[in-house]
Each structure stands twice: as C-alpha cells, then as structure tokens.
C-alpha cells in the first residue's frame, strides 16, 4: 500500500493517440493540510471534459494526467480543522477542488467563479508546482469545502455523475427560476442534458427536451420531459416561438447550429444559458438575434457547495434516477469507455466502478 505518500491512478501521457493509452502508476498528491480530506475512491463518472482533455481539443495540458472529476468514495482521513466531513463517511468530489474562500465571489456562493479556483485535475496547486489529479485513481485529496456528504438514498454509481454533469445543469436551472409556471428547454440529451431534464421536472417546471432527431424522444419522456422538439423537423421553432422562459444549452457541438432559431423560442427577456464547451470556432452572434424578444444569452460554470448540497437533497427526496452504465476501471475498460463516449454511444453517463479490484 503506497497510500498516503503516493496515490495510484490510470494516467495519460498526452493527447497524441486515440484512444488514449492509460498507464497505471503512482503520483504524489499535494501535501496534506489542516482542512484537507483524503477520499478512498469507489466510483468516478466519465465526463465530456475528460474527452476534450484527452483529445487535446481544449488545448495543451499539464501531462501526465489522471482525469475524472465525478468522484465518490470514503473519507479515510480528515485534517484537524475539518468540520464539514466525518471520517468514514461516503462523500463526493466534483470538478472543482479549491478556491480562495475570501474574495467577493467566494463570499457570495459563487466560488465556482473565483479567480483562484482550481480544477480537480490538470491545475497546479499554488506554491507546490504539483498538478492536481482526478478520480481515475485510488485516492484524492481536497479541501473540505469541495467534499460533499452523499445522502444515503443515492447509490454510489448514480451519485458520481451528479457531481459534475448534474450540478452543471442544476445551477443554471435554479439560478434562473426553473419551477412551477415556467417553461424550460434543455438542448441536447447527453450526460448533462439528461440531468437537466430530470432536475427541471423535479423542480416543477414544464420541461421540454430539444434534440436534433426524434431518436431520444422516448428517453426524454422517461426522464420527465413534458414535450420534445426535434430540430430536424421543418419549421420546428414556429409552434413554440416566444414561449420559453429559460433554455439551458448542453450541446457538445455547435456544428450546423442555427442559434437565431433557438433564441426565437424565448419569451421577452427569456434566458439562453450555455453549459457545454464545444471544441472549435463556435457560432456567430449578432445583436439583431436578441431584438425580437430582448432575450439574454450567457453561460454557467458548475455550481456552488450550497447548490451541490441542494441538488443532492432534491435527488434523494425525489428518488431521481439517472441513466448510468457502469464499467470496471482498468486500462482497457477506460479506453473503451472514453471511445464510446466520444461517439455519444452511452445512455447517458458512464460511471467507473470496481476500484477495489485494481488498487
Ligand atoms: Zn465534468
Ligand atoms: Zn475566491
């Protein structure tokens, strides 16, 4: 057992081959500090971010890297100043592992927008030069503020993908008033979008899924969507013009995307919030696209600790069931799962399990 001096993970050395080669090796975590929690990992979701990182689509990274930021496991060590997490409890860590907790943003539950925020993997810990490493690993170490107790009602493999994909859809929904009497659109039914449909429905909003084809219509309705729009249909936007209060765009590609048509769905001052970060050039935005309804466009990044806890409570209280396929973590299991995810060949999220067999 190499823990606690080093952790072991499946690491990639660069973005020059596909599928990536995952090599099992030891790495040194940041030094343990008073507010830190060590988590022995039991499950980790595979996020679209992992794919964009491993393909090189998001640009150069601090290789070698252990991806994975939808982590659930057991808190096996807590620092002397930790008050939020009990040793031995089941906890989760998402896509953010640190922020200053002192700036205006941090003090207003906007720590996800802190200028000093640190990504769970691929960032550099201040004053150490150590690269943060994610959840395709035996352990992770993080500040208690980014470690979340997981309610008993949520199974581990289902809780994991909530911590990035779930939260990414939940935060813009609650920040923009999704609830009874509101009509909410979720663009794209992938990992994030499927959580968007589940949460929007659970929050009481009239929920519509907007997808390219009708192929996912039955799934969308299973997830709680009241309606479904396929953009392959002629004049698909016409019956819904100026009826939506909020649209959360989770699309992972902007190819062939007619933004003007989507914005025409919004009621006066309705909001279009993007949460995906497609690779490539993106689309053209002209002010006349907003004139007809005075709509707003923006984006949303993850969510706060407060929102994470609220999301987990909502999921537990409503018995929310995401669609998750589990895969045992290994060199080959990882290579096959990331290849399938890149082709959108999953309904709708992979969670890696079987950590005790390899670590
Ligand atoms: Zn993610
Ligand atoms: Zn801050």
């Amino acid at each position: 057992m190499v823990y606690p001096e080093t952790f072991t993970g499946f690491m990639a050395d660069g973005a020059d081959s596909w599928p990536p080669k995952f090599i099992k090796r030891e790495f040194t975590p940041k030094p343990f500090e008073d507010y830190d929690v060590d988590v022995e990992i039991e499950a980790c979701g595979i996020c679209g971010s992992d794919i964009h990182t491993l393909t090189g689509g998001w640009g150069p990274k601090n290789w070698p890297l252990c991806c994975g930021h939808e982590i659930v496991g057991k808190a096996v060590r807590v620092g002397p100043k930790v008050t939020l997490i009990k040793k031995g409890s089941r906890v989760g860590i998402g896509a953010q592992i640190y922020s200053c907790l002192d700036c205006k943003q941090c003090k207003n539950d906007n720590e996800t927008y802190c200028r000093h925020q640190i990504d769970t993997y691929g960032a550099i810990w201040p004053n150490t030069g150590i690269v943060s490493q994610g959840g395709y690993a035996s352990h992770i170490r993080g500040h208690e503020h980014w470690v979340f107790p997981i309610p008993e009602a949520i199974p581990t493999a289902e809780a994991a993908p909530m911590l990035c994909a779930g939260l990414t859809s939940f935060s813009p929904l609650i920040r923009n008033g999704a609830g009874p009497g509101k009509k909410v659109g979720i663009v794209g039914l992938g990992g994030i979008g499927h959580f968007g449909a589940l949460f929007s429905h659970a929050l009481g909003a009239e929920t519509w899924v907007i997808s390219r084809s009708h192929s996912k219509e039955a799934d969308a309705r299973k997830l709680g969507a009241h309606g479904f729009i396929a953009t392959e249909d002629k004049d698909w936007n016409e019956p819904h013009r100026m009826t939506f209060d909020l649209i959360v765009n989770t699309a992972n590609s902007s190819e062939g995307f007619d933004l003007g048509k989507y914005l025409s769905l919004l009621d006066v001052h309705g909001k279009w919030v993007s949460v995906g970060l497609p690779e490539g050039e993106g689309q053209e935005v002209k002010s006349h696209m907003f004139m007809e309804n005075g709509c707003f466009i923006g984006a949303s990044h993850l969510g706060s600790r407060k929102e994470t806890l609220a999301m987990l409570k909502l999921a537990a209280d409503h018995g929310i069931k995401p669609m998750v396929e589990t895969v045992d973590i290994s060199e080959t299991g990882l290579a096959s799962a990331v290849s399938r995810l890149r082709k959108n060949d999953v309904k709708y999220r992979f969670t890696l399990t079987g950590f005790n067999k390899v670590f």
Side-chain angles (χ1 to χ4, degrees), residues 100-270:
C100 78
L101 293 180
D102 196 37
C103 70
K104 184 179 174 192
Q105 286 72 32
C106 283
K107 286 180 172 158
N108 288 305
D109 292 315
N110 284 318
E111 64 269 36
T112 188
Y113 298 99
C114 174
R115 284 178 54 230
H116 308 287
Q117 77 111 10
I118 292 186
D119 294 334
T120 294
Y121 64 80
I124 307 228
W125 284 104
N127 314 319
T128 66
I130 290 173
V131 176
S132 62
Q133 302 290 355
Y136 301 173
S138 61
H139 297 79
I140 185 161
R141 175 170 294 164
H143 187 289
E144 64 168 346
H145 187 87
W146 289 270
V147 183
F148 314 109
I150 305 291
E152 216 170 289
I154 312 175
T156 294
E158 295 176 14
M162 290 183 191
L163 298 168
C164 176
L167 184 61
T168 296
S169 70
F170 183 77
S171 176
L173 286 171
I174 54 162
R175 285 184 186 220
N176 295 291
K182 300 287 174 160
K183 185 172 174 183
V184 171
I186 305 290
V187 176
L189 198 61
I192 300 173
H194 111 286
F195 276 113
L198 286 166
F199 290 141
S200 175
H201 172 87
L203 290 166
E206 179 187 338
T207 303
W208 287 66
V209 167
I210 305 169
S211 184
R212 283 176 205 250
S213 76
H214 285 277
S215 66
K216 293 175 177 170
E217 183 161 356
D219 283 349
R221 293 190 188 273
K222 256 187 252 166
L223 294 164
H226 304 91
F228 188 91
I229 298 171
T231 60
E232 68 181 4
D233 292 347
K234 192 170 178 285
D235 300 328
W236 58 271
N237 59 324
E238 289 301 330
H240 301 279
R241 282 184 92 108
M242 296 180 75
T243 63
F244 280 85
D245 298 287
L246 167 67
I247 300 177
V248 177
N249 170 30
T250 76
N252 203 22
S253 154
S254 46
E255 216 174 293
F257 208 87
D258 189 343
L259 183 61
K261 275 195 174 171
Y262 287 89
L263 297 181
S264 77
L265 301 176
L266 288 166
D267 191 9
V268 175
H269 303 331

Side-chain angles (χ1 to χ4, degrees), residues 241-242 259-260 263-264 266-270 285-297:
R241 282 184 92 108
M242 296 180 75
L259 183 61
L263 297 181
S264 77
L266 288 166
D267 191 9
V268 175
H269 303 331
V285 171
K286 292 180 180 163
S287 42
H288 71 235
M289 289 174 172
F290 320 116
M291 290 298 179
E292 195 178 280
N293 50 12
C295 67
F296 293 85
I297 68 170

Side-chain angles (χ1 to χ4, degrees), residues 47 49 69-70 95 164 349:
C47 179
S49 307
H69 60 205
E70 298 183 331
C164 176
R349 203 64 160 182

